[in-house]
Amino acid sequence: MPLSAQPKVLLVEDEALVAALAVDALEELGYQTVEAANAKTALKICTGTAPFMFAIIDIGLPDGRGDALALELRKLRADMPIIIATGYDQAHVDERLRAHDRTAVLNKPYDIAQLQAAILKVAEPV
């Protein structure tokens, strides 16, 4: 599939190694990944571009909490599928997100099978 035909996903992760592994896994699953290392960049990317199929957001970002970013993204697109990646338990994720059926919490470290399961929970498969 040509790169331009692949569904785009937003990956918001500040740890370079984790981001690289996630991009590799997403590409293997057939997705084109757009990366942001912080919330400010992610919001800038999301305004004025074609919608992303879903977003994967780290809970701990250098400029804020990932769940706060997710709520901001939901203001731009209420039905946006979001996966929150966290090394903490789910209780650390904002209840408004956990209650939404298009949100999944992915515990770090995760493998490609766990990533794929989270994607299938929130988004349409490729």
Side-chain angles (χ1 to χ4, degrees):
M1 175 183 324
L3 190 60
S4 62
Q6 290 178 308
K8 284 193 330 185
V9 300
L10 175 64
L11 175 65
V12 188
E13 173 61 64
D14 62 315
E15 294 181 40
L17 180 59
V18 175
L21 293 170
V23 168
D24 287 346
L26 288 163
E27 287 177 356
E28 189 171 320
L29 293 171
Y31 299 98
Q32 177 186 0
T33 308
V34 176
E35 296 179 69
N38 58 54
K40 182 178 180 181
T41 302
L43 282 171
K44 188 175 182 180
I45 289 170
C46 285
T47 52
T49 64
F52 291 94
M53 187 171 187
F54 59 90
I56 301 173
I57 304 170
D58 181 27
I59 193 76
L61 297 171
D63 60 346
R65 290 184 47 93
D67 51 358
L69 169 62
L71 292 170
E72 287 298 313
L73 293 178
R74 286 262 169 81
K75 288 178 184 176
L76 297 173
R77 184 176 148 208
D79 66 337
M80 183 173 198
I82 294 175
I83 298 169
I84 300 290
T86 180
Y88 305 103
D89 65 34
Q90 291 192 18
H92 284 84
V93 178
D94 190 298
E95 175 62 33
R96 293 170 289 180
L97 289 171
R98 287 186 287 136
H100 197 285
D101 64 346
R102 307 250 4 219
T103 302
V105 177
L106 184 60
N107 291 318
K108 286 179 167 183
Y110 54 86
D111 61 26
I112 193 168
Q114 293 164 319
L115 176 60
Q116 188 171 30
I119 293 168
L120 290 174
K121 180 180 184 241
V122 299
E124 298 296 321
V126 175

